Amino acid sequence: MAIAASSSLLLLHHLLLVLASWWRLADAAYIAYNTSGGVVPGKLNVHLVPHTHDDVGWLKTIDQYYVGSNNSIQGACIQNVLDSVVEALLADKSRKFIYVEMVFLDSCSVIILLRFSLVQSSLFEVNLWPLNGGWCMHDEAVVHYIDMIDQTTLGHRFLKQEFDQLPRIGWQIDPFGHSAVQAYLLGAELGFDALYFSRIDYQDREKRKDTKSLEVVWRGSKTLGSSVDIFTGIFPKNYEPPPGGFYFEVNDESPVIQDDPLLFDYNVQERVDDFVAAALSQANITRTDHIMFTMGTDFKYQYANSWFRQMDKFIHYVNKDGRVNVLYSTPSIYTNAKHAANESWPLKTDDFFPYADRAHAYWTGYFTSRPALKGYVRLLSSYYVAARQLEFIKGRSSSGPTTDSLADALAIVQHHDAITGTEKQHVANDYAKRLAIGYAEASKVVESSFACLTESISSSGHCLPVTKFEQCPLLNISYCPPSESDLYAGRSLVVLVYNSLGWMREDIVRIPVVSDSVLVLDHEGKEIESQLLPIKSPSTALRNFYVKAYLGKSPSITPKYWLAFPVTVQPLGFTTYFIKSAKQTGSHAVMSMISSSQGMENSTMEIELGNLKLQFDLDGNKLSHYFNQRSLVKASVEQTYSFYSGDDGSGADPQASGAYVFRPSGKFPIQSEKKVPLTILQGPLLHEVHQQINSWIYQVTRIYKTKEHLEVEFIVGPIPTNDGVGKEVVTQIATTMNTSKTFYTDSNGRDFIKRIRDYRSDWELQVNQPVAGNYYPINLGMYIKDDSTELSVLADRAIGGTSLVDGQVELMLHRRLLHDDSRGVAEALNEVVCVEFECEGLAIQGKLYIRVDPLGEGAHWRRSTGQQIYSPLLIAFSEEHEGNWSNFHITTFSMMDHSYSLPENVALITLQELEDGSVLLRLAHLYEVGEDKDLSKIAYVELKKMFPGRKINITEMNLSANQERAEMEKKKLKWGVESSSTDETIVKGGLVDPSKLVVELGPMEIRTFILNLDKSVTADKNK
Amino acid sequence: MAIAASSSLLLLHHLLLVLASWWRLADAAYIAYNTSGGVVPGKLNVHLVPHTHDDVGWLKTIDQYYVGSNNSIQGACIQNVLDSVVEALLADKSRKFIYVEMVFLDSCSVIILLRFSLVQSSLFEVNLWPLNGGWCMHDEAVVHYIDMIDQTTLGHRFLKQEFDQLPRIGWQIDPFGHSAVQAYLLGAELGFDALYFSRIDYQDREKRKDTKSLEVVWRGSKTLGSSVDIFTGIFPKNYEPPPGGFYFEVNDESPVIQDDPLLFDYNVQERVDDFVAAALSQANITRTDHIMFTMGTDFKYQYANSWFRQMDKFIHYVNKDGRVNVLYSTPSIYTNAKHAANESWPLKTDDFFPYADRAHAYWTGYFTSRPALKGYVRLLSSYYVAARQLEFIKGRSSSGPTTDSLADALAIVQHHDAITGTEKQHVANDYAKRLAIGYAEASKVVESSFACLTESISSSGHCLPVTKFEQCPLLNISYCPPSESDLYAGRSLVVLVYNSLGWMREDIVRIPVVSDSVLVLDHEGKEIESQLLPIKSPSTALRNFYVKAYLGKSPSITPKYWLAFPVTVQPLGFTTYFIKSAKQTGSHAVMSMISSSQGMENSTMEIELGNLKLQFDLDGNKLSHYFNQRSLVKASVEQTYSFYSGDDGSGADPQASGAYVFRPSGKFPIQSEKKVPLTILQGPLLHEVHQQINSWIYQVTRIYKTKEHLEVEFIVGPIPTNDGVGKEVVTQIATTMNTSKTFYTDSNGRDFIKRIRDYRSDWELQVNQPVAGNYYPINLGMYIKDDSTELSVLADRAIGGTSLVDGQVELMLHRRLLHDDSRGVAEALNEVVCVEFECEGLAIQGKLYIRVDPLGEGAHWRRSTGQQIYSPLLIAFSEEHEGNWSNFHITTFSMMDHSYSLPENVALITLQELEDGSVLLRLAHLYEVGEDKDLSKIAYVELKKMFPGRKINITEMNLSANQERAEMEKKKLKWGVESSSTDETIVKGGLVDPSKLVVELGPMEIRTFILNLDKSVTADKNK
């Protein structure tokens, strides 16, 4: 890069180089190695790219990797790597090294020194080049695009601020498959000129080798087309040195070059021949005169000199030999050389999922592995979005709590062995701990922000609030001490409901209460309708066990009811509600009507609320039909459960199912041993159908008065394994739609990609695993369609999904396995939860959202409900004692102009006050081209109304906000493709007129701005 | 030490330190570690001694270790160690490191740099301290004291010249037992103040721990007494870090100190507690307030920073804790601290042999392992002595061949896994190759020296000789092309016989010839008596097989006879003999009379020559009696063979017999399957009795007209192992003497040490291995005695020996084993020799020399014959065609005054011209105090007669000639001992009077001088 030093170090550096060159002069009987050459036209150029791949946690925790502890698990110490690499680079300015995981640079002492010494200007370069530049090398299957953007921004801004560096190359060498969003959004839109990686399907790789198509131009977005093309290089084998003995870590066994004629075993010619052979072999499958040797692998360069000493010699002697040209290079130099060749490259569209490294090893298990961690990440991802909004609204504190540690934890957990679930258990625990710590700090920001905003002094400079708010992170399992306390005369519960979306929002919230005698008042003190739903024993059992497990103590109180009530909240604002004891009043919350299917005479049963009617088959004890009385869609929708038995790896073509790999050995429908009747709860706001599917699956199907989808909340687990069989639990949603093998899954929660069963567009698929090979990652949801309707399913976290039968959707909800799948983690994915040394398998509580629409109308629901699922209402609690809350508090609020909300097709994905007081704003158009007849159009956001009363200075940035967008566009390389239709119409927003301050967004466009807001021009936001 | 830099580097160094301190400042959240403290009085001081132990060949060859190749056998790269250590030392001047094996420093590039930069003066110190300072860390059991001195001198002079360094500490941490000669000669006499090591008998160690006697004063010489006392520290366990997790090589599993509060797993207090516990545990068995932690082990510090980073932290935090004081230290600082404590230490005499690391693991096998390599080393050791003499006499060539590569090879092979036979086979091959290369170059020095000396121009400046000499390194197996060629009229063989001893010498030489019609002329052309002995088929078979194996081709000629003739050669001189065809003359060599014991009627047979008469028992087919007609000693002397079956390690207390460990599982006498008759060869010069002991042991017993000992030449092998049993072959020499369990073996060929069967003087021995535990190393020989006679046996190489039965001597001659003994070498000691892919077990041909003397008279024979065995006559061949050799050549020569020879009790052990033209001279008194009634007295050497006609400037040096002896004596620390008789009388030579130039030598004294000889004052040496 240019990790540069202050001017006072110039002389020192010069002298260091003198010393270094003396040392190297002295090496091997005074041979000075000539390593300074560059590319030589007309020759085969071998670009040596020295690199390490430092997992941000995997077998060891991130800190253990950094300091080098816990080496009995894995010998790895990143401090060694960075210390010794910097020394090796200082010793010879021809040497180069690339580094990827910024989180490690952030805590590295040598880097701190270099950073510290940079204050003035860049006077010398250490050839330590950042690639990717994110906090980690994130996964691409099970991460949400907002998290990808956030963790990349964290790294990019660190690099920009500390080293004035702009990475220009993507380096996703290890993730287990590659997403379209990665290519176009976290590639082209960052300003990257190329993307490199290693892992693609083994069949795909073979064909690409045969056709010299490992290097392509990838067009990841249908909507944005050629404007987001990126050069993409796939490595011929892996990200390690080429075959032939070129590993030079301390104690590695590759033959070193022995070039000292005074010692025995002089082997220069032999090793030069090995190198040339490796180069020619790779050149044989590569276009142009440039090939790349990735010189390193996981956690290598613990003593960098051991590698550089050998590479120095290879460069010297191979170039002396003359058959090929070798140089210290970087992917940047390599990319430039590829570009200069002026080649037309094969065009790649869609993505690289699923990934199989051999016939029976589809890495599709990790789409679901550790569903609790995946759920926790999703929860905190949206919490981080909201918390930053509130941090901005209140004003970022330079001393107090911030959202930074949550940012750090969330960034780390996007790593491709973190959220993927492919780490060891103790490492998964470490991630969860980091998230919890991050949440704890961010929750203080949220609570103090609420306090400031509710107290009327909120908008005047500093705020020292007195109001205390509390939140309930375990609300999902009905544990919420503030709401569980007794209400009595004079004491009522204050419920503040925050909406982090840019739209006005109506929803039903629910909180656990102990009494059936409560009522709910709105922010003006008027009683509103509310409904009580008894908390059933499976939920109580889950609550009691997990509260004990998480908090170390059993809750003293057990709430009996969920209290549900409707809320209306302005965009980026809150509304306050009050829960009071109803003992002294006549009215109170409506108790749900409870009935049982037992004894019902019909073989079907219906529930109906608002526009929705559901029919259940009482013989099969399952949902059977969906009917929307508004759209008149009527569909057969059967929902059932099955499990796959995980292969134990003992059979032919041995490969166990494990954290990475999904390899089923059989599929078994799940039916209750004995038929348990359905329990039906009905009330004015929502109905619930409770089903005990079997002894370890419980499900509630919900419909709401105001919604047209059904919500399925399941508790799956503990999955029994006492039969010695690991199990992977799926739910199927079957319709009679004729879907012609086709289904659609999202890419990182953003674009939908068409999938065809047993088919790949890039090669003729040899089907070896008809189930696992058809699984795809789901972050937002999936849908199927025929010529009249479409069935959409949305999820609350990343899961794996497929359609194995026409008309059917299958989603994997939970996995518990007993064998390791031999990809290094060396543990079975067998999650347990312990209370006082009694352990049981982890249970998962999650939600699916299902809806059937007329053809062409599903996108609207998927996109807008998808945003609501991603960003649930944020609820905080306080209490009042004298009924006078409103006298001293603001009860409703919106950051924006009260008449304004964002267009329906635009989401606010980032609103964050940066350390320097400027504001990072990201707006995302939510629709692809052609996705919705009304909404797949250009949208307009009026910043003046978003930030009323502020003077706004605006700069458009690239996606990661490390450079101005215009500069980025100017520098970006254009790539020729072999065949591309020229008739594409790309709609994008124009430059923002600084006087009008209206941001235009074309379909799928995300625009990133740095705003400087003059805070002194305040307005009364609460009028 | 003070590897110092030129003044031009001063600024650089200063800036480097600034940079380094910044780095360390930046480490772990800006903690600056305080590592600069020293010893703190009144506290327990823990001396951290960072070190590596770099075997000069073991599992890999020395060059493989240096460059780091062949890592599949063992991960080890000394270049990594030295490069990274120097960098780590530069980074903090408090850090220290010790280094032992100078051979690696010699080729190290960073050291070359430092050396190169030292030209001017020592301006800064790199704390890289040399210990021991020899070329390698030599073995102590099977090495000859002359080799020990030579290899140490090589290293010490390198250190002095290149770095102006004088090592003052012995560091023999790994050798498998420790010799008295090491302590007093290669310790005290070098000027060392202390000696440290690790390996002593496990029973000994336990007792010493109990009595706090691991640190002692060792008085290694009876003769030199307290004048050679040396402080000796034995480590409590091994030479590694203490128990408790203090290994910090890259990827080591010890817990690192995690002191960054921003990361998880902060563990400073826990690790400080571990350290203090380890320190207190060691303090508990150590006298004074000082303990040493040996921080390192074999081939460690490949990335030195990984160790120093942790040690920095331990020093910082443990000192902050305050319970103990920790410091970067060296054995030198530690020794000074021990000395300053003014303690009286336990006195240790004799030595530390044999070594057992547990009950059934006596490391006494290696006394004999690889007897061919041991023999080759001994052969070249004496050749090197002679070649240096001839190099000096001729004048050292600055361009031409020198003896330096032989010096290097011999120095390397003294390593404790080289000559010991405990290396892998490919490494043993590497040593042999180095020796062969060294010999090849040295032989050119010898041959050109002979040419110069024989041509009359020899003494005038430069010599460009025309005469060609050849030598026969395979003469021992009767392969000698020059002597095997046909002699015809006019062509005769010129035989030059060189005597490297300082005494006139008479001996019988023999050479193989093809014809029975030859005669021998002396240097004046007079015919002398000579004898022909037919070469028997076992010798011919050995010759043909091994010549093919060594040279790759079969000899075309097979000589039929040994031609033996008597020679007389002046000290440090030569005599020329001529072998002619006798076809045209009447007289010729006498053919030996051949007879067979077959058909002899008596049950005994006698042979007699000179003063000696031997009787053989024809029933047992063995020697039975010895009779000396001069001394009138008559003794029953039975010589027989047995073998031990090597334990295969499968039984109880598993431990196989192997390269290191001798563990017999049974003992089996060797008798011929069928009785093979003796063959007797008799002639005027010598008689031989040939015996086929069994199918794989052949023996010739020889007596000479002029000698009073019998010479036993044996061929043992290939040892059969097709019965699946490894075998260790011994010969027993049994007398009827009453020896009361007592026998005497030499220490490195110098002092004799009394051994008592099943007894140790330092502790009450628990006898677990009654055979292996009584074996001792033999370099010169051993003897037993009773109240009237003594039996002495001398050997031609290092072997193991014992006396398991009173009156009997047992010597182990050869070993062939089928199992590894689990000490790391991971190969069975199963030497084979291959010819065209046909391999057979290695056969050994060797000699023993046996004599019985009246009590008190054996020493004279042992010492003087011992010198002759060590330094056989050196024979070179040329040819003449016209009988006119004498016209153009000098035929007899002595370097010394022709009237002079050295006193009988003094040997010249070094005479060497150094690179600067000065001359290294070492003279050794050969007798211990009281050893011989006449010769254990002060001796006088007249240098003027040794170097006639030369102007001599003399400086007395310490043993390794790196400092003046007077300086050394001045600096040397004196140590108190607990109990020591004060009435010792030590006789030593006084200072040399520069005008008289007479060197006095007291018993066992070795004196070392640097002479400057004015060469221009020449005399006619040949008059």
Side-chain angles (χ1 to χ4, degrees), chain A residues 976-997:
Chain A
V977 294
E978 280 183 339
S979 58
S980 172
S981 76
T982 49
D983 59 340
E984 58 173 14
T985 319
I986 302 165
V987 178
K988 286 193 173 186
L991 291 181
V992 178
D993 179 337
S995 63
K996 293 188 179 141
L997 290 168

Side-chain angles (χ1 to χ4, degrees), chain A residues 702-835:
Chain A
R702 264 180 213 121
I703 56 175
Y704 294 89
K705 187 171 72 172
T706 52
K707 301 184 184 181
E708 296 184 357
H709 61 256
L710 61 118
E711 176 183 303
V712 171
E713 184 168 47
F714 53 83
I715 300 172
V716 174
I719 299 173
T721 54
N722 44 15
D723 56 357
V725 177
K727 298 178 184 66
E728 326 198 28
V729 179
V730 298
T731 186
Q732 299 97 2
I733 298 150
T735 69
T736 54
M737 292 160 65
N738 177 9
T739 53
S740 306
K741 299 185 170 182
T742 305
F743 54 106
Y744 300 82
T745 63
D746 66 274
S747 180
N748 304 118
R750 188 116 178 101
D751 306 65
F752 276 94
I753 297 184
K754 180 179 182 174
R755 312 294 185 183
I756 300 175
R757 191 162 65 248
D758 294 339
Y759 175 83
R760 303 289 188 274
S761 57
D762 288 341
W763 78 97
E764 196 159 330
L765 179 67
Q766 185 188 332
V767 178
N768 295 304
Q769 284 283 318
V771 175
N774 283 308
Y775 258 77
Y776 289 87
I778 289 168
N779 287 278
L780 168 57
M782 69 179 281
Y783 66 94
I784 52 178
K785 62 184 183 183
D786 65 8
D787 45 19
S788 62
T789 52
E790 48 191 286
L791 168 84
S792 307
V793 184
L794 302 182
D796 63 350
R797 73 195 69 190
I799 56 177
T802 185
S803 173
L804 297 176
V805 176
D806 277 0
Q808 194 196 74
V809 163
E810 175 174 305
L811 300 162
M812 187 176 290
L813 305 178
H814 195 9
R815 318 177 74 213
R816 187 180 185 193
L817 295 166
L818 304 178
H819 298 275
D820 176 62
D821 55 2
S822 311
R823 293 303 185 281
V825 75
E827 276 183 6
L829 182 71
N830 183 359
E831 293 177 284
V832 295
V833 179
C834 302
V835 167

Side-chain angles (χ1 to χ4, degrees), chain B residues 215-274:
Chain B
E215 294 180 323
V216 299
V217 168
W218 189 358
R219 185 168 296 172
S221 166
K222 288 191 303 286
T223 306
L224 299 170
S226 65
S227 77
V228 289
D229 282 356
I230 186 167
F231 180 79
T232 301
I234 302 153
F235 304 142
K237 188 170 177 198
N238 51 32
Y239 51 79
E240 308 198 354
F246 303 99
Y247 289 76
F248 299 109
E249 190 72 357
V250 166
N251 295 343
D252 265 350
E253 299 181 7
S254 291
V256 296
I257 293 187
Q258 204 302 71
D259 59 345
D260 184 342
L262 300 178
L263 306 183
F264 291 132
D265 310 331
Y266 187 91
N267 66 351
V268 170
Q269 190 57 48
E270 187 183 328
R271 295 264 57 204
V272 166
D273 290 347
D274 293 343

Side-chain angles (χ1 to χ4, degrees), chain B residues 183 376 429 685 935:
Chain B
Y376 193 34
N429 297 345
L685 299 175
L935 296 166

Side-chain angles (χ1 to χ4, degrees), chain A residues 12 15 23 26-27 30 63 71-72 75 79-80 83 87 109 112-113 251-253 264 302-303 309 430, chain B residues 12 22-23 26-27 30 63 71-72 75 79-80 83 87 109 112-113 251-253 264 302-303 309 430:
Chain A
L12 170 59
L15 290 171
W23 286 12
D27 201 5
Y30 304 95
D63 291 350
N71 272 353
S72 59
Q79 211 175 354
N80 282 346
D83 282 6
E87 286 192 13
S109 57
I112 287 170
L113 161 72
N251 294 345
D252 265 350
E253 299 181 6
F264 289 132
Q302 286 202 68
Y303 178 43
R309 189 193 293 132
D430 182 73
Chain B
L12 171 59
W22 278 8
W23 286 13
D27 200 5
Y30 305 94
D63 290 350
N71 272 352
S72 59
Q79 211 175 352
N80 283 345
D83 282 6
E87 285 191 14
S109 57
I112 287 171
L113 161 73
N251 295 343
D252 265 350
E253 299 181 7
F264 291 132
Q302 286 201 67
Y303 178 42
R309 190 193 292 131
D430 182 73

Side-chain angles (χ1 to χ4, degrees), chain A residues 869-924:
Chain A
I869 294 167
Y870 175 78
S871 283
L873 290 164
L874 197 164
I875 300 173
F877 301 91
S878 190
E879 58 181 39
E880 61 165 357
H881 290 272
E882 303 302 333
N884 58 358
W885 178 272
S886 310
N887 300 354
F888 304 101
H889 294 88
I890 292 158
T891 57
T892 178
F893 167 85
S894 170
M895 185 197 86
M896 305 203 293
D897 188 297
H898 283 208
S899 67
Y900 188 68
S901 67
L902 293 188
E904 205 175 353
N905 48 6
V906 173
L908 169 68
I909 62 174
T910 316
L911 178 60
Q912 176 178 5
E913 181 176 337
L914 301 174
E915 282 190 21
D916 64 359
S918 64
V919 174
L920 179 62
L921 172 71
R922 254 190 219 100
L923 296 165

Side-chain angles (χ1 to χ4, degrees), chain B residues 94-167:
Chain B
S94 303
R95 293 172 174 176
K96 295 173 177 61
F97 196 79
I98 62 173
Y99 203 75
V100 176
E101 299 83 6
M102 294 304 116
V103 63
F104 291 123
L105 280 197
D106 189 34
S107 48
C108 173
S109 57
V110 287
I111 303 297
I112 287 171
L113 161 73
L114 291 172
R115 212 202 297 187
F116 171 69
S117 65
L118 296 188
V119 189
Q120 308 186 26
S121 63
S122 297
L123 282 173
F124 78 89
E125 289 195 333
V126 174
N127 275 313
L128 180 64
W129 296 92
L131 262 69
N132 247 12
W135 216 230
C136 67
M137 183 188 291
H138 55 221
D139 177 63
E140 300 182 33
V142 298
V143 289
H144 195 275
Y145 75 96
I146 293 180
D147 292 327
M148 297 165 91
I149 294 170
D150 283 340
Q151 85 87 10
T152 304
T153 301
L154 190 64
H156 279 203
R157 291 187 57 83
F158 162 80
L159 271 170
K160 175 65 184 169
Q161 285 165 24
E162 304 297 347
F163 304 110
D164 197 24
Q165 281 296 308
L166 301 175

Side-chain angles (χ1 to χ4, degrees), chain A residues 621-624 637-641 691 693 699 701 710 712 714 731-734 813 848 850:
Chain A
N621 253 14
K622 63 188 173 194
L623 173 68
S624 62
V637 177
E638 289 197 356
Q639 190 225 350
T640 52
Y641 285 85
Q691 293 173 270
I693 305 289
Q699 174 172 304
T701 306
L710 61 118
V712 171
F714 53 83
T731 186
Q732 299 97 2
I733 298 150
L813 305 178
L848 297 174
I850 303 166

